[in-house]
């Protein structure tokens, strides 16, 4: 290939739509974005392409293919352990990847239902189990009984309990176990799970949910974080690996290999977690920028040329963490990642002393808009029914704005903003088409204070089951970070405005506090934050108390 | 360190007794020898050293240590999932490795008994389960029922079945699972299992056997062969890795690092299977010699200087396979190893066309001596009771010798060999002190024919559960090898004479047949062998038919 051809190739967009190179990939390219709660893209190009093909082919052809895959699946499950399985497992893996969306769904449902557990056997074993005599002092955790007779009786318990435990495993576990020990099989399992998840997103089917829960449990135990290898990704890595980075970067999309080259060049680092059973494809990767100081906007970070020589850098900024396997959703692979990267960078560059992130706040706007909508509606209702000036009498209603914020929003010039109260004005502004509010200095200045303050509240106080509501916040807090600073207009991209109102947050990792912070977050749900952020949150609390 | 000091260090024997450098190792250095059915060495130096220490320490001190380990174990199991476990797991791992034999045993028994499953909970869930109404057509693998009501009913089944499955897991599974995801934890688990096995070898305790069976199952699923990495071990590898090779070489012991250097030098290769969670320690390794032709004796292979330049080699001879982890006994890690090594060698050296082994026959003498003893006794009994010349009338009795072999043995000069029949003479000769028979050309020539022929019978016809009785034969046959040739006086070492009467066997791997042979061995127990070997076995069969 000549130089020009190569240049064109390098500039070609390599986003997920170009999935022909990924020989085995889930049908819907629903990238598992740690940073986003995005909805699966159900009308992905790949699916429609498949549907197109199907119409061209005779449907009997497809049916025959389906039957072949079904047969190989059956063989893979029912063959005797001692027979040679490798070719059967290969047949199944290849066959499955060639199936279209509809037939994958058929096959997975069939797997979930027809290879479920053997309930007759379970009942038989239960009968045997209930027939056993309980040895003396063997209720739960017997401490005293160690007699020889008890040991003999225990043997019977152990045997039937073991059999019952095995009988309670669905028959499809055999397929999972065999694929796990087969080269390339773990990858097939992640694709199966990605497909199951995308079907479940459309329809909640109990047997498929059971299949998913079982497979998730298995994948979790097979993909031990202790077995993951930290690998520094560089421009010297194979293109087949690099294209995965381009395809899966979920936070700040990379448009082509040229773009990627900058992210691997001077002043940047990229590290990936690789599992030996899924070679050449990092399961999760993290991008680092070496900077003079903790960056306040993503524009500074993604700037083409590094502003300073590496030796002058004092801060390593983690600006993007992406996982590549939609099928591993819900399985914590990031454990140790940050800590190991920090250790590595520190060893290589002793002049780096600050470790921080510049992170999106993916759930912020969703939370804020629904809060504004419900509260401004409540405010109206209260106003109509009670005509009460002191609406704080209602347990449900809360003006989430400070008095001066309310005033600033209500004082905005006519026509620009409408609403019966500050919250409704804010809601309408934030919902305006094309984020018009970002083009007016008047609107920006009225929104700045409430957006930053409410973002602090969202990050520090909004929780779900004792953990931070925001998924990225939860990730960093459980790794032992603290919330340092909220940055105004830090990401003006469409996605940045839609998800976080343009805000970004710096989480800071201090090596001396990582363990302590992680522990207090885990055990008490305590969120460590800078004095500035605490002040923002307390302002409102004090205001309420003096009301 | 000066040159002389280094030279002395290099010559120091580094066999298992020097286990101070292996920070975490099972107490008894019972090397898991694939090639041997050796009995665990219960009086290993390590144990006695520990017992010595114990006597020096105040026993209250030991007791306090034990209590600390017990506490960390309890925390590791009972702590909430969301708490930080890392330090607790480290405490447990370090504490456990510092315990002596007796206290490890106490702790493991305690783990097996006090962290067993919660039987009250199991009974409660069983009650709930039996109370569920079986949906229509949901006996075993329901195919027809797909109604919405059935899906709802199924949900209840799935839920309780899942709970029951979890309740049937012993409480100690938590410790295993947590260690598995903890850096270094998998190594700790293999040490735990090695210790359990060594206790079970002394005493069969039901609860401990249940613990072992559960841990073995877990280790088997975590150590997928697909996750193992093939690594060529060279003199450039860290000494900490190389010393493991010296310590664990089970077939042809290596006396020191100098000796090892030869095995990694010109004309030799060494490959290891590494697991990312147990870094720097191959779980299994294989040694290869590059030769002009398939070697007939181990002396040729272990010869100091390679007889030919590498480029003239046409044969890659696998002369030693050892596994390093006694705690992984019974878990097949060798899968794919041979095939992957062949592929690697073939790619590097296209002039190599033969792939063979020179293997011990570890079970041969044990089988032969017990056969000779029982048959010669039977022969005597038959002779006394029936005085029958045609003793073949008995279903139990069989003269395993050919007439001319019988004659040659009975014709031996007086005083050298005694016995009422050929088998007794052979038994007495083979049992003679210091293998005296190997020093007499008369005895060697009388024993040669029956030993080789009976070895062929042992390898090709003696089976256990449809598989070759000999463990090394079984390993290579299931990998797709064929039995090529039996070599006379191929290993004159004490071990070689004791285990295999000095015989060694060549298994040959032909790439074009590997799959087919493995399959026919797996499915039908068919053992592929050369025409020469078949002839040796058929000789006797024909002899019997014409009797």
């Amino acid at each position: 290939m000549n130089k020009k051809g190569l240049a064109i190739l390098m500039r070609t967009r390599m986003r997920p739509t170009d999935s022909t190179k990924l020989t085995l990939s889930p049908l819907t390219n629903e990238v598992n974005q740690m940073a986003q709660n995005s909805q699966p893209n159900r009308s992905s190009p790949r699916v429609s392409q498949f549907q197109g093909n199907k119409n061209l082919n005779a449907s009997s052809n497809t049916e025959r293919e389906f039957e072949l895959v079904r047969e190989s699946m059956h063989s893979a499950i029912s063959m005797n352990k001692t027979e040679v399985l490798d070719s059967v497992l290969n047949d199944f893996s290849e066959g499955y990847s060639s199936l279209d969306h509809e037939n994958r769904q058929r096959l997975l449902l069939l797997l979930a239902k027809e290879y479920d557990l053997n309930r007759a056997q379970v009942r038989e074993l239960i009968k045997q189990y209930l027939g056993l005599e309980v040895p003396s002092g063997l209720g739960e955790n017997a401490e005293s009984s160690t007699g020889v007779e008890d040991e003999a009786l225990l043997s019977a318990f152990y045997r039937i309990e073991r059999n019952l435990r095995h009988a309670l495993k669905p028959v499809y576990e055999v397929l999972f176990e065999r694929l796990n020990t087969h080269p390339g099989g773990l990858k097939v399992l992640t694709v199966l799970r990605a497909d199951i998840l995308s079907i479940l997103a459309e329809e909640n089917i109990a047997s498929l949910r059971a299949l998913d829960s079982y497979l998730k449990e298995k994948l979790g135990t097979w993909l031990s974080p202790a077995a993951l290898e930290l690998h520094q990704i560089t421009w010297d890595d194979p293109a087949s690996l690099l294209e995965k980075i381009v395809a899966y970067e979920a936070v700040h999309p990379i448009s082509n290999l040229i773009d990627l080259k900058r992210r691997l060049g001077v002043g940047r680092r990229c590290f990936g977690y690789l599992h030996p059973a899924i070679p050449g494809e990092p399961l999760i990767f993290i991008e680092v920028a070496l900077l003079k100081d903790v960056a306040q906007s993503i524009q500074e970070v993604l700037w083409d040329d590094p502003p300073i020589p590496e030796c002058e850098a004092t801060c390593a900024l983690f600006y993007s963490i992406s996982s590549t396997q939609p099928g591993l959703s819900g399985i914590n692979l990031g454990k140790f990642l940050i800590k190991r990267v920090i250790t590595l960078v520190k060893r290589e560059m002793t002049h780096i002393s600050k470790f921080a992130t510049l992170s999106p706040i993916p759930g912020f706007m969703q939370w804020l808009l629904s809060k504004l909508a419900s509260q401004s509606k409540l405010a109206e209702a209260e106003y109509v029914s009670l005509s009460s000036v002191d609406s704080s009498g209602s347990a449900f209603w809360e003006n989430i704005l400070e008095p001066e914020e309310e005033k600033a929003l209500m004082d905005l010039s006519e026509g620009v903003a409408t609403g019966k109260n500050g919250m409704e004005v804010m809601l309408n502004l934030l919902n305006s088409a094309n984020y018009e509010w970002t083009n007016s200095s008047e609107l920006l200045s009225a929104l700045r204070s409430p957006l930053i303050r409410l973002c602090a509240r969202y990050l520090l106080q909004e929780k779900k089951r004792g953990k931070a509501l925001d998924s990225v916040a939860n990730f960093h807090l459980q790794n032992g970070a603290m919330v340092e600073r909220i940055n105004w207009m830090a990401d003006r991209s469409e996605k940045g405005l839609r998800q976080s109102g343009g805000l970004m947050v710096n989480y800071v990792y201090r090596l001396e506090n990582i363990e302590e912070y992680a522990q207090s977050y885990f055990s008490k749900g305590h969120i460590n934050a800078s004095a500035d952020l605490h002040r923002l949150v307390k302002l409102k609390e004090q205001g309420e108390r003096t009301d």
Side-chain angles (χ1 to χ4, degrees), chain A:
Chain A
M1 190 183 288
N2 61 21
K3 243 180 164 180
K4 200 180 156 193
L6 184 67
I8 290 169
L9 180 72
M10 297 267 291
R11 285 200 168 77
T12 308
R13 276 179 62 82
M14 293 180 55
R15 300 285 302 148
T17 43
D18 182 16
S19 54
T20 46
K21 283 180 202 85
L22 311 175
T23 49
L24 191 69
S25 54
L27 277 177
T28 54
N29 255 301
E30 170 200 345
V31 174
N32 176 28
Q33 301 181 345
M34 172 171 295
Q36 290 178 290
N37 300 326
S38 68
Q39 288 300 306
N41 175 12
R42 251 161 258 138
S43 57
S44 94
R46 183 85 192 267
V47 175
S48 27
Q49 179 201 321
F50 261 107
Q51 283 163 348
N53 283 351
K54 210 181 59 188
N55 295 342
L56 289 176
N57 295 337
S59 72
S60 68
N61 222 345
T62 320
E63 196 55 30
R64 209 168 52 222
E65 269 176 41
F66 176 80
E67 281 307 322
L68 283 175
V69 182
R70 183 189 170 142
E71 275 164 31
S72 64
M73 183 171 84
H74 180 75
S75 304
I77 292 174
S78 57
M79 274 176 93
N80 191 300
K81 198 179 182 176
T82 50
E83 285 168 277
V84 176
L85 278 161
D86 294 351
S87 60
V88 173
L89 290 170
N90 283 335
D91 286 352
F92 170 72
S93 305
E94 282 165 28
Y96 183 83
S97 73
S98 73
L99 290 183
D100 62 13
H101 184 71
E102 196 189 308
N103 277 314
R104 286 192 185 191
Q105 178 158 354
R106 270 176 72 197
L107 195 80
L108 290 169
L109 273 170
L110 194 148
L111 181 67
K113 283 178 182 291
E114 291 186 28
Y115 297 90
D116 200 357
L117 48 86
N118 184 335
R119 299 205 160 78
Q121 197 195 352
V122 170
R123 277 176 193 265
E124 176 54 36
L125 284 166
I126 282 182
K127 229 183 285 166
Q128 287 180 31
Y129 189 73
L130 293 176
L132 285 181
E133 198 188 320
V134 182
S136 57
L138 202 111
E140 268 129 88
N141 302 331
E143 202 159 346
S144 52
S145 71
T146 43
V148 179
E149 309 83 34
D150 282 357
E151 276 289 328
L153 237 170
L154 266 177
S155 292
F157 268 92
Y158 291 137
R159 193 174 41 80
I160 302 191
E161 277 160 3
R162 191 184 168 174
N163 291 344
L164 190 52
R165 195 161 57 225
H166 283 269
L168 279 164
K169 290 178 182 174
V171 177
Y172 48 68
E173 128 139 329
V174 178
L175 181 68
F176 298 163
E177 288 277 353
R178 289 178 173 182
L179 279 171
N180 175 47
T181 60
H182 184 70
L186 203 57
K187 175 72 195 173
V188 177
L189 287 173
T190 66
V191 173
L192 286 185
R193 177 142 190 267
D195 289 345
I196 295 168
L197 285 176
S198 90
I199 298 166
L200 282 174
E202 291 172 32
E203 194 182 350
N204 192 356
I205 305 163
S207 51
L208 208 57
R209 190 152 300 278
L211 183 75
D212 174 60
S213 132
Y214 202 83
L215 181 52
K216 182 186 170 187
E217 198 181 308
K218 283 285 162 190
L219 287 171
T221 167
W222 289 329
L223 285 159
S224 156
L228 294 172
E229 279 173 11
L230 190 63
H231 170 73
Q232 183 176 346
I233 296 161
T234 71
W235 193 240
D236 292 327
D237 272 310
S240 56
L241 188 153
L242 297 180
E243 77 173 356
K244 305 248 160 45
I245 304 291
V246 174
Y248 288 116
E249 156 63 275
V251 188
H252 307 291
I254 305 172
S255 37
N256 53 41
L257 277 179
I258 286 284
D259 196 5
L260 175 64
K261 191 174 179 182
R262 269 196 302 268
R263 299 214 193 173
L264 303 176
V266 180
R268 310 284 163 83
R269 295 289 183 279
C270 181
F271 300 93
Y273 249 167
L274 282 145
H275 192 278
I278 307 183
E281 187 161 357
L283 303 185
I284 187 169
F285 59 90
I286 183 168
E287 293 169 77
V288 186
L290 305 173
L291 304 171
K292 188 92 194 159
D293 213 338
V294 180
Q296 303 202 22
S297 79
I298 197 63
Q299 289 80 5
E300 295 169 54
V301 179
L302 296 181
W303 202 253
D304 279 2
D305 298 306
I308 52 154
E310 283 196 357
C311 60
E312 291 174 21
T314 64
C315 168
L317 190 87
F318 308 123
Y319 65 94
S320 177
I321 302 177
S322 305
S323 55
T324 64
Q325 309 292 319
L328 296 181
S329 156
I331 295 167
N332 180 15
L333 297 170
K335 206 187 168 193
F336 313 124
L337 177 64
I338 299 265
K339 225 160 97 182
R340 285 175 68 179
V341 168
I342 291 177
T343 312
L344 219 82
V345 170
K346 238 186 138 58
R347 193 166 50 199
E348 197 195 335
M349 289 174 286
T350 47
H351 47 93
I352 302 246
S353 58
K354 273 180 230 154
F355 295 91
T357 78
L358 183 64
S359 304
I361 311 143
F364 175 48
M365 285 309 272
Q366 196 189 1
W367 169 82
L368 180 62
L369 292 177
S370 94
K371 195 97 186 162
L372 286 172
S374 63
Q375 291 301 334
S376 68
K377 224 177 252 168
L378 271 179
E380 201 177 338
E382 295 274 324
Y383 183 79
V384 173
S385 67
L386 298 175
S387 297
S388 153
V389 200
D390 177 26
S391 329
S392 67
S394 158
F396 303 106
W397 189 77
E398 173 201 7
N399 187 353
I400 60 172
L401 297 174
E402 295 279 312
E404 60 272 29
E405 292 165 358
E406 174 87 26
K407 186 170 181 300
L409 284 162
M410 295 307 287
D411 284 354
L412 287 170
S413 28
E414 285 288 328
V416 179
T418 54
K420 295 185 200 68
N421 54 50
M423 289 191 289
E424 198 178 329
V425 172
M426 189 164 175
L427 180 66
N428 290 336
L429 286 177
L430 293 174
N431 273 333
S432 61
N434 301 320
Y435 311 98
E436 258 174 40
W437 60 277
T438 59
N439 301 321
S440 145
S441 61
E442 188 195 1
L443 296 179
L444 282 172
S445 92
L447 284 170
R448 178 178 174 135
S449 156
L451 272 177
I452 291 183
R453 195 182 49 74
L454 288 168
C455 183
R457 168 177 165 174
Y458 170 71
L459 289 174
L460 270 58
Q461 299 185 322
E462 296 297 322
K463 295 188 182 171
K464 196 172 78 181
R465 295 192 211 121
K467 301 276 165 287
L469 185 60
D470 191 79
S471 60
V472 173
N474 182 51
F475 175 80
H476 289 296
L477 291 169
Q478 73 185 9
N479 273 310
M482 60 177 287
V483 192
E484 175 77 14
R485 184 175 64 194
I486 292 169
N487 301 293
W488 176 244
M489 283 297 116
D491 181 4
R492 287 167 174 271
S493 72
E494 194 277 333
K495 193 172 132 190
L497 292 169
R498 176 167 40 81
Q499 290 188 339
S500 340
L503 300 184
M504 294 191 88
V505 58
N506 299 120
Y507 299 99
V508 167
Y509 285 91
R510 289 192 222 289
L511 276 181
E512 64 273 24
N513 301 125
I514 283 185
E515 296 294 341
E516 178 200 333
Y517 285 3
Q519 181 120 32
S520 70
Y521 179 65
F522 268 125
S523 55
K524 297 172 231 147
H526 185 78
I527 296 177
N528 288 284
S530 65
D532 282 354
L533 278 182
H534 275 302
R535 211 171 300 124
L536 277 174
V537 171
K538 274 182 189 138
L539 206 70
K540 176 68 184 167
E541 280 171 7
Q542 284 167 348
E544 271 168 7
R545 259 180 243 123
T546 53
D547 259 355

